[in-house]
């Protein structure tokens, strides 16, 4: 309650960045030989769901779950 709107925004922004970074690191750990594009596509599947990710990035369909 004592935080200003700007402080709250900074906190949420930092937490969002940390979450994205952790998911990126986790994906790289899971697929150490994957190219940057494959990591991007796998993260898209994770964040968007397979159906929407494939619609947005058709090459994501080639990745095994």
């Amino acid at each position: 309650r004592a935080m200003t709107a700007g402080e709250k925004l900074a906190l949420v922004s930092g937490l969002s960045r940390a979450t994205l970074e952790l998911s990126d690191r986790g994906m790289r750990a899971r697929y150490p030989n994957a190219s940057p594009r494959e990591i991007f596509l796998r993260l898209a599947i994770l964040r968007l769901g397979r159906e929407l990710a494939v619609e947005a990035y058709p090459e994501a369909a080639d990745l095994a779950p």
Side-chain angles (χ1 to χ4, degrees):
R1 281 188 168 189
M3 282 193 266
T4 67
E7 290 170 332
K8 290 176 185 177
L9 179 61
L11 178 64
V12 170
S13 177
L15 291 171
S16 293
R17 268 192 309 264
T19 301
L20 293 174
E21 186 176 324
L22 285 172
S23 63
D24 183 69
R25 286 183 188 185
M27 198 62 71
R28 288 179 191 286
R30 215 172 291 147
Y31 301 98
N33 298 320
S35 68
R37 182 63 179 176
E38 182 180 339
I39 295 295
F40 171 83
L41 294 171
R42 289 187 181 283
L43 288 169
I45 291 168
L46 179 68
R47 293 175 186 148
L48 304 173
R50 189 172 244 333
E51 186 177 320
L52 184 55
V54 168
E55 189 174 322
Y57 310 104
E59 67 269 35
D62 298 334
L63 298 176

